[in-house]
Amino acid sequence: MSDGLKSDYQLCEEIGRGRFGVVYRCSSAVSSDSFACKSIDKRLLADATDRQCLDKEPKILQILSNHPNILQIYKVYEDQNHLHIITDLCDSPDLYQRLTTATFSELDAASIFHPLISALAYCHRMGVAHRDVKLDNILFDSRNNLKLADFGSAEWFGNEGRRTMRGVVGTPYYVAPEVLAGREYTEKVDVWSAGVILYIMLAGVPPFYGETAKETFEAVLRGNLRFPTRIFRSMSPEVKDLLRKMICKDVSRRLSAEQVLRHPWIIHGGETRSLTDLT
C-alpha cells in the first residue's frame, strides 16, 4: 500500500469488488470523514487498453469535479502494484438494486432522472461522453444524492469542433445502435442509454432484449420501440413522448441532453401535463 495513502486514510471494510480490484470504506486521518477507496491491482490489467482506461478515469473525473451529481475524486495514490482512488462514499443501494424490488411511479422516476440528465448535460458541455450509462453506474450517497460513476469507458470529444468517436463500448441493453453498427457517433449515445434507463425504471424491463447478447444487439439495431399496453396503460403521453425522442434511432432527431432538460415531463417533475406544449 502507498505510504501516502496509509498516512492520509484508514482503510476499513470491503464494500465492493470489480474486475480489477476492490472498493473499501475509508476514513480521513485528519477529519474522520468517510470516503471510498477504489484499489485497482495493476497486475490484473490484460493489455494497454485496460491501462489506458485506468489512467483516463481519474483525469476525466477531475475535469467533471464541480457537478454535485457526478462522483467526486479527491486523491489518487499509486505504488508498484496498485492504483488507489479516493472518491465519494456511495453506500446506499444503487439504481439497479433499487429496481429489484419495484418499478417507479413517474414522479419517483423523474426525481432520479432529472439529476442524471443534469449530470450528463454537464459532461457533454465539458466535452466528455460517458459511453456506459447503465443502472449499475448510478449510485447514491448516504444523503440519497445521485452520483453518476464509472468513467472507465468515457471519452473526451472536446468542446470545440465536436469531433465524433468510434469504438464498440457499453453494455448490451443500454448501448445505442450506431455504436453497435460500427459507425462514428456523438455524445448522443448517452441520451439513448439514459432513455433506456427511464424506460426500465417505469416498465421494469428494458425496451430491447433477447435470450443472448447477440439477440439483444439485434433488437437494439432494429430499434423498434414499443409501449406494451399492459405496462404503459397508466403512463402519461408526455413520458412516452420523451422516451420516443431519446430512444430514437435517427440521431439527427434524437434529443441532446440539454434538450431533454427542457422537455415538459422533466420541467414538471413527472406530473401529467397537456401535450399541446410538446415540440
Side-chain angles (χ1 to χ4, degrees):
M1 186 189 301
S2 162
D3 290 339
L5 175 62
K6 283 194 292 187
S7 62
D8 293 344
Y9 293 92
Q10 172 71 44
L11 289 191
C12 307
E13 75 275 17
E14 177 183 325
I15 57 174
R17 184 172 288 267
R19 188 158 57 112
F20 297 129
V22 182
V23 181
Y24 299 96
R25 184 192 305 270
C26 66
S27 60
S28 167
V30 175
S31 66
S32 297
D33 291 338
S34 293
F35 298 90
C37 176
K38 183 177 181 180
S39 293
I40 297 157
D41 189 337
K42 295 186 290 186
R43 294 165 295 186
L44 298 177
L45 302 179
D47 51 34
T49 302
D50 286 344
R51 178 69 214 201
Q52 185 180 27
C53 291
L54 182 65
D55 291 339
K56 189 165 51 178
E57 184 175 15
K59 293 174 184 175
I60 284 178
L61 281 174
Q62 285 167 344
I63 292 171
L64 303 173
S65 62
N66 290 325
H67 196 282
N69 298 116
I70 295 175
L71 191 75
Q72 303 292 294
I73 186 169
Y74 297 99
K75 198 91 179 205
V76 177
Y77 302 90
E78 187 166 9
D79 55 39
Q80 184 175 352
N81 294 323
H82 292 85
L83 183 73
H84 309 281
I85 305 172
I86 306 297
T87 68
D88 289 321
L89 175 64
C90 294
D91 51 0
S92 295
D94 63 31
L95 189 53
Y96 179 86
Q97 293 168 319
R98 293 177 184 214
L99 272 167
T100 58
T101 54
T103 54
F104 293 175
S105 69
E106 289 188 46
L107 287 173
D108 288 342
S111 70
I112 288 174
F113 200 65
H114 184 275
L116 171 60
I117 288 296
S118 175
L120 286 174
Y122 182 76
C123 290
H124 297 170
R125 285 198 300 274
M126 299 300 289
V128 172
H130 187 286
R131 302 202 301 173
D132 195 20
V133 178
K134 59 182 179 180
L135 295 172
D136 320 53
N137 290 338
I138 300 170
L139 311 182
F140 298 88
D141 65 17
S142 58
R143 296 178 181 175
N144 210 35
N145 296 308
L146 182 146
K147 301 286 183 178
L148 179 60
D150 196 350
F151 283 76
S153 297
E155 185 62 78
W156 165 259
F157 62 85
N159 46 21
E160 295 180 9
R162 314 297 291 180
R163 73 176 177 87
T164 56
M165 292 161 277
R166 296 193 76 101
V168 179
V169 296
T171 303
Y173 295 119
Y174 310 90
V175 68
E178 61 268 30
V179 176
L180 292 178
R183 301 196 301 268
E184 291 186 342
Y185 52 83
T186 71
E187 70 277 12
K188 282 188 177 183
V189 297
D190 290 341
V191 175
W192 173 286
S193 301
V196 170
I197 284 173
L198 178 57
Y199 189 105
I200 295 173
M201 282 197 287
L202 296 170
V205 293
F208 311 110
Y209 56 89
E211 293 298 318
T212 64
K214 182 176 183 291
E215 289 180 4
T216 299
F217 288 151
E218 289 170 351
V220 170
L221 284 167
R222 287 193 297 272
N224 186 14
L225 182 64
R226 293 189 176 96
F227 298 108
T229 303
R230 64 183 177 81
I231 297 175
F232 282 88
R233 181 186 294 110
S234 63
M235 294 184 202
S236 69
E238 291 91 335
V239 77
K240 286 184 272 192
D241 179 81
L242 176 57
L243 286 166
R244 287 189 192 98
K245 290 175 177 176
M246 296 182 72
I247 310 174
C248 177
K249 194 173 176 182
D250 183 347
V251 180
S252 67
R253 293 173 54 233
R254 189 184 307 161
L255 298 182
S256 68
E258 294 283 359
Q259 289 171 322
V260 173
L261 284 173
R262 297 195 295 270
H263 189 278
W265 188 81
I266 297 290
I267 291 171
H268 298 138
E271 292 183 4
T272 303
R273 290 290 190 274
S274 170
L275 266 176
T276 55
D277 292 334
L278 298 181
T279 57

